[in-house]
Amino acid sequence: MSARADHGPWGVPIALFILGAWVGHLVWLLSDGGPSWSSPLAWVHILVQGYLCTGLFITGHDAMHGTVSRRRWLNDAVGTTACFLFAGLSYHRLVVNHRAHHADPTSESDPDFSTRTQSFWPWLGTFMVRYATVIQFCVMALKFNILWWLGVEQWRIWLFWVVPAVLGTFQLFYFGTYVPHRRPETPEMAPHHARTLPRNHWVAMLSCYFFSYHWEHHEAPSTPWWALWRVKDARASVTDARPAA
Protein backbone atom coordinates (compact mmCIF):
# COMPACT_ATOMS: atom_id res chain seq x y z
CA MET A 1 0.00 0.00 0.00
CA SER A 2 3.00 2.25 0.38
CA ALA A 3 5.99 1.80 -1.89
CA ARG A 4 8.04 4.42 -0.02
CA ALA A 5 7.52 3.10 3.48
CA ASP A 6 9.76 4.67 6.11
CA HIS A 7 10.88 1.47 7.80
CA GLY A 8 13.93 2.65 9.71
CA PRO A 9 15.60 0.18 12.08
CA TRP A 10 12.78 0.06 14.63
CA GLY A 11 9.77 -1.41 12.84
CA VAL A 12 10.36 -5.08 13.61
CA PRO A 13 11.70 -4.62 17.19
CA ILE A 14 8.75 -2.41 18.17
CA ALA A 15 6.26 -4.81 16.58
CA LEU A 16 7.81 -7.81 18.34
CA PHE A 17 7.85 -5.93 21.64
CA ILE A 18 4.10 -5.28 21.43
CA LEU A 19 3.39 -8.87 20.39
CA GLY A 20 5.58 -10.19 23.20
CA ALA A 21 4.07 -7.88 25.80
CA TRP A 22 0.54 -8.91 24.82
CA VAL A 23 1.37 -12.64 24.92
CA GLY A 24 3.44 -12.48 28.10
CA HIS A 25 0.94 -10.39 30.05
CA LEU A 26 -1.98 -12.54 28.91
CA VAL A 27 -0.24 -15.80 29.82
CA TRP A 28 0.40 -14.49 33.32
CA LEU A 29 -3.19 -13.21 33.69
CA LEU A 30 -4.62 -16.57 32.63
CA SER A 31 -2.35 -18.55 34.94
CA ASP A 32 -3.13 -19.47 38.54
CA GLY A 33 -0.48 -16.96 39.60
CA GLY A 34 -2.40 -14.09 38.01
CA PRO A 35 -4.60 -11.66 39.97
CA SER A 36 -7.94 -12.75 41.37
CA TRP A 37 -11.11 -11.18 40.05
CA SER A 38 -11.71 -9.45 43.41
CA SER A 39 -8.34 -7.71 43.44
CA PRO A 40 -8.45 -3.98 42.59
CA LEU A 41 -5.25 -4.50 40.59
CA ALA A 42 -7.13 -6.90 38.33
CA TRP A 43 -8.92 -3.97 36.73
CA VAL A 44 -5.64 -2.17 36.17
CA HIS A 45 -4.32 -5.25 34.37
CA ILE A 46 -7.52 -5.42 32.28
CA LEU A 47 -6.92 -1.84 31.11
CA VAL A 48 -3.27 -2.61 30.38
CA GLN A 49 -4.20 -5.71 28.41
CA GLY A 50 -6.86 -3.73 26.53
CA TYR A 51 -4.21 -1.17 25.59
CA LEU A 52 -1.92 -3.96 24.41
CA CYS A 53 -4.81 -5.36 22.34
CA THR A 54 -5.07 -1.97 20.67
CA GLY A 55 -1.34 -2.17 20.04
CA LEU A 56 -1.81 -5.51 18.30
CA PHE A 57 -4.15 -4.01 15.76
CA ILE A 58 -2.02 -0.90 15.32
CA THR A 59 0.90 -3.24 14.55
CA GLY A 60 -1.22 -5.10 12.01
CA HIS A 61 -2.31 -1.78 10.55
CA ASP A 62 1.31 -0.67 10.11
CA ALA A 63 2.00 -3.93 8.31
CA MET A 64 -0.88 -3.15 5.93
CA HIS A 65 1.08 -0.06 4.95
CA GLY A 66 4.33 -2.02 4.67
CA THR A 67 6.02 -0.08 7.47
CA VAL A 68 7.04 -2.95 9.75
CA SER A 69 9.74 -4.37 7.50
CA ARG A 70 11.00 -3.83 3.94
CA ARG A 71 11.06 -7.64 3.66
CA ARG A 72 7.53 -8.30 2.50
CA TRP A 73 7.33 -11.84 3.88
CA LEU A 74 8.35 -10.61 7.35
CA ASN A 75 6.10 -7.57 7.19
CA ASP A 76 3.09 -9.70 6.20
CA ALA A 77 3.94 -12.41 8.74
CA VAL A 78 3.91 -9.86 11.56
CA GLY A 79 0.68 -8.32 10.28
CA THR A 80 -1.02 -11.69 9.89
CA THR A 81 0.01 -12.75 13.39
CA ALA A 82 -1.04 -9.48 15.02
CA CYS A 83 -4.48 -9.45 13.38
CA PHE A 84 -5.07 -13.13 14.17
CA LEU A 85 -4.13 -12.66 17.82
CA PHE A 86 -6.25 -9.53 18.13
CA ALA A 87 -9.55 -11.12 17.12
CA GLY A 88 -9.05 -13.88 14.56
CA LEU A 89 -9.10 -11.30 11.76
CA SER A 90 -8.09 -12.02 8.18
CA TYR A 91 -5.07 -9.87 7.37
CA HIS A 92 -5.66 -10.14 3.62
CA ARG A 93 -9.27 -8.98 3.96
CA LEU A 94 -8.21 -6.07 6.14
CA VAL A 95 -5.62 -4.99 3.57
CA VAL A 96 -8.25 -4.89 0.81
CA ASN A 97 -10.70 -2.89 2.94
CA HIS A 98 -8.03 -0.53 4.21
CA ARG A 99 -6.91 0.27 0.69
CA ALA A 100 -10.50 1.19 -0.12
CA HIS A 101 -10.62 3.43 2.95
CA HIS A 102 -7.48 5.34 1.97
CA ALA A 103 -8.50 5.57 -1.67
CA ASP A 104 -11.64 7.62 -0.94
CA PRO A 105 -12.22 8.27 2.80
CA THR A 106 -15.78 9.02 3.99
CA SER A 107 -17.26 8.13 0.59
CA GLU A 108 -19.89 5.54 -0.28
CA SER A 109 -17.08 3.12 -1.14
CA ASP A 110 -15.30 3.58 2.21
CA PRO A 111 -15.93 0.42 4.27
CA ASP A 112 -14.99 2.26 7.49
CA PHE A 113 -17.50 5.08 7.07
CA SER A 114 -21.23 5.17 7.74
CA THR A 115 -23.06 7.44 5.32
CA ARG A 116 -26.40 6.59 6.91
CA THR A 117 -25.75 7.81 10.41
CA GLN A 118 -23.11 9.71 12.35
CA SER A 119 -24.31 8.40 15.72
CA PHE A 120 -21.70 6.36 17.56
CA TRP A 121 -23.57 3.10 18.26
CA PRO A 122 -25.30 2.65 14.86
CA TRP A 123 -22.02 3.49 13.11
CA LEU A 124 -20.14 0.98 15.27
CA GLY A 125 -22.78 -1.64 14.46
CA THR A 126 -22.40 -0.99 10.73
CA PHE A 127 -18.62 -1.12 11.08
CA MET A 128 -18.73 -4.47 12.89
CA VAL A 129 -21.12 -6.01 10.36
CA ARG A 130 -18.81 -5.03 7.51
CA TYR A 131 -15.72 -6.50 9.13
CA ALA A 132 -16.93 -9.46 11.21
CA THR A 133 -17.17 -12.87 9.54
CA VAL A 134 -18.50 -16.29 10.49
CA ILE A 135 -14.95 -17.67 10.20
CA GLN A 136 -13.70 -15.05 12.64
CA PHE A 137 -16.35 -16.01 15.22
CA CYS A 138 -15.47 -19.68 14.76
CA VAL A 139 -11.78 -18.91 15.28
CA MET A 140 -12.52 -16.95 18.46
CA ALA A 141 -14.78 -19.74 19.76
CA LEU A 142 -12.03 -22.26 19.03
CA LYS A 143 -9.48 -20.15 20.89
CA PHE A 144 -11.83 -19.91 23.88
CA ASN A 145 -12.39 -23.65 24.00
CA ILE A 146 -8.69 -24.45 23.60
CA LEU A 147 -7.89 -22.21 26.58
CA TRP A 148 -10.66 -23.88 28.59
CA TRP A 149 -9.41 -27.34 27.55
CA LEU A 150 -5.93 -26.35 28.72
CA GLY A 151 -7.37 -25.77 32.17
CA VAL A 152 -7.77 -21.99 32.24
CA GLU A 153 -10.69 -20.96 34.42
CA GLN A 154 -13.58 -19.52 32.43
CA TRP A 155 -13.77 -16.32 34.45
CA ARG A 156 -10.12 -15.64 33.64
CA ILE A 157 -10.76 -16.13 29.92
CA TRP A 158 -13.70 -13.72 29.97
CA LEU A 159 -12.10 -11.13 32.22
CA PHE A 160 -8.54 -11.09 30.91
CA TRP A 161 -8.94 -12.12 27.27
CA VAL A 162 -12.45 -11.27 26.04
CA VAL A 163 -13.01 -7.99 27.92
CA PRO A 164 -9.63 -6.46 26.92
CA ALA A 165 -10.31 -7.37 23.27
CA VAL A 166 -13.66 -5.58 23.46
CA LEU A 167 -12.03 -2.55 25.10
CA GLY A 168 -9.38 -2.48 22.38
CA THR A 169 -12.07 -2.62 19.69
CA PHE A 170 -13.89 0.36 21.21
CA GLN A 171 -10.64 2.30 21.57
CA LEU A 172 -9.67 1.69 17.96
CA PHE A 173 -13.08 2.57 16.57
CA TYR A 174 -13.51 5.71 18.67
CA PHE A 175 -10.05 7.23 18.15
CA GLY A 176 -9.24 5.72 14.76
CA THR A 177 -12.54 5.99 12.88
CA TYR A 178 -15.37 7.81 14.66
CA VAL A 179 -13.62 10.94 15.95
CA PRO A 180 -11.32 11.45 12.93
CA HIS A 181 -13.94 11.02 10.21
CA ARG A 182 -17.30 12.02 11.64
CA ARG A 183 -19.19 14.92 10.12
CA PRO A 184 -19.65 17.84 9.91
CA GLU A 185 -16.32 18.39 8.21
CA THR A 186 -14.20 21.42 8.97
CA PRO A 187 -11.67 23.16 6.69
CA GLU A 188 -8.63 21.72 8.49
CA MET A 189 -9.79 18.20 7.59
CA ALA A 190 -9.08 18.78 3.89
CA PRO A 191 -8.03 17.08 1.71
CA HIS A 192 -8.19 13.78 3.62
CA HIS A 193 -11.61 14.18 5.30
CA ALA A 194 -9.80 13.48 8.57
CA ARG A 195 -9.32 15.49 11.73
CA THR A 196 -6.60 15.15 14.30
CA LEU A 197 -6.14 15.62 18.03
CA PRO A 198 -4.48 18.80 19.29
CA ARG A 199 -0.74 18.46 19.62
CA ASN A 200 -0.23 16.66 22.91
CA HIS A 201 1.98 13.67 22.29
CA TRP A 202 1.37 11.98 25.65
CA VAL A 203 -2.40 12.12 25.19
CA ALA A 204 -2.07 10.91 21.61
CA MET A 205 0.11 7.97 22.65
CA LEU A 206 -2.18 6.94 25.49
CA SER A 207 -5.35 7.41 23.47
CA CYS A 208 -4.42 5.19 20.54
CA TYR A 209 -0.69 4.94 19.78
CA PHE A 210 -0.64 8.31 17.94
CA PHE A 211 -3.39 7.01 15.66
CA SER A 212 -5.52 9.96 16.76
CA TYR A 213 -3.08 12.05 14.66
CA HIS A 214 -5.26 10.87 11.85
CA TRP A 215 -4.86 13.69 9.32
CA GLU A 216 -1.14 13.07 9.57
CA HIS A 217 -1.64 9.36 8.95
CA HIS A 218 -3.60 10.02 5.76
CA GLU A 219 -1.08 12.64 4.68
CA ALA A 220 1.88 10.30 5.25
CA PRO A 221 0.58 6.69 5.28
CA SER A 222 4.14 5.38 4.88
CA THR A 223 5.02 6.75 8.33
CA PRO A 224 4.85 4.13 11.11
CA TRP A 225 2.64 4.87 14.10
CA TRP A 226 5.57 5.60 16.40
CA ALA A 227 6.78 8.43 14.11
CA LEU A 228 3.45 10.18 13.45
CA TRP A 229 4.25 12.77 16.11
CA ARG A 230 7.03 14.04 13.84
CA VAL A 231 4.55 14.61 11.02
CA LYS A 232 2.30 16.39 13.51
CA ASP A 233 5.15 18.67 14.61
CA ALA A 234 6.16 19.37 11.02
CA ARG A 235 2.60 20.36 10.13
CA ALA A 236 2.38 22.59 13.20
CA SER A 237 5.66 24.31 12.40
CA VAL A 238 4.42 25.16 8.90
CA THR A 239 1.15 26.51 10.31
CA ASP A 240 2.94 28.57 12.96
CA ALA A 241 5.27 30.04 10.33
CA ARG A 242 2.42 31.39 8.22
CA PRO A 243 1.87 35.17 8.57
CA ALA A 244 -1.28 36.23 10.34
CA ALA A 245 -4.11 37.27 8.05
Side-chain angles (χ1 to χ4, degrees), residues 186-209:
T186 53
E188 63 270 15
M189 294 172 67
H192 307 299
H193 307 284
R195 62 176 55 84
T196 194
L197 276 182
R199 185 172 45 162
N200 185 313
H201 298 329
W202 283 108
V203 172
M205 176 61 186
L206 291 173
S207 67
C208 203
Y209 295 77

Side-chain angles (χ1 to χ4, degrees), residues 226-244:
W226 41 269
L228 282 173
W229 65 270
R230 297 174 185 167
V231 183
K232 178 73 170 180
D233 282 354
R235 182 189 183 194
S237 65
V238 171
T239 302
D240 294 343
R242 289 174 182 167

Side-chain angles (χ1 to χ4, degrees), residues 10-72:
W10 298 105
V12 173
I14 289 175
L16 293 181
F17 175 81
I18 291 175
L19 288 168
W22 181 87
V23 171
H25 193 234
L26 180 62
V27 168
W28 176 70
L29 290 173
L30 296 180
S31 70
D32 293 337
S36 66
W37 67 269
S38 59
S39 170
L41 285 178
W43 303 102
V44 175
H45 286 292
I46 289 172
L47 292 177
V48 170
Q49 190 64 15
Y51 187 71
L52 291 173
C53 282
T54 301
L56 278 184
F57 188 86
I58 294 295
T59 299
H61 167 267
D62 262 23
M64 294 175 212
H65 286 282
T67 62
V68 173
S69 173
R70 62 175 51 89
R71 295 179 176 86
R72 183 170 180 178

Side-chain angles (χ1 to χ4, degrees), residues 70-205:
R70 62 175 51 89
R71 295 179 176 86
R72 183 170 180 178
W73 69 268
L74 180 56
N75 181 85
D76 291 350
V78 171
T80 299
T81 301
C83 293
F84 180 80
L85 291 177
F86 175 74
L89 295 168
S90 165
Y91 175 71
H92 174 73
R93 187 166 182 264
L94 287 172
V95 169
V96 172
N97 284 339
H98 200 59
R99 282 176 176 165
H101 168 66
H102 272 267
D104 198 2
T106 74
S107 70
E108 290 281 352
S109 61
D110 181 0
D112 292 4
F113 189 71
S114 174
T115 55
R116 294 183 178 180
T117 177
Q118 293 291 290
S119 299
F120 178 84
W121 292 107
W123 186 348
L124 175 62
T126 301
F127 184 87
M128 295 298 289
V129 167
R130 289 173 179 169
Y131 276 91
T133 65
V134 173
I135 293 176
Q136 178 193 356
F137 284 116
C138 291
V139 168
M140 297 301 285
L142 180 62
K143 288 181 180 181
F144 187 100
N145 282 280
I146 288 175
L147 290 172
W148 190 20
W149 177 76
L150 290 173
V152 180
E153 296 172 285
Q154 280 203 39
W155 71 266
R156 286 191 180 275
I157 303 175
W158 283 103
L159 205 59
F160 297 132
W161 180 57
V162 176
V163 171
V166 172
L167 291 177
T169 300
F170 276 101
Q171 185 176 15
L172 286 160
F173 177 76
Y174 183 80
F175 289 106
T177 299
Y178 177 71
V179 170
H181 293 297
R182 67 183 175 184
R183 291 172 177 162
E185 290 201 10
T186 53
E188 63 270 15
M189 294 172 67
H192 307 299
H193 307 284
R195 62 176 55 84
T196 194
L197 276 182
R199 185 172 45 162
N200 185 313
H201 298 329
W202 283 108
V203 172
M205 176 61 186

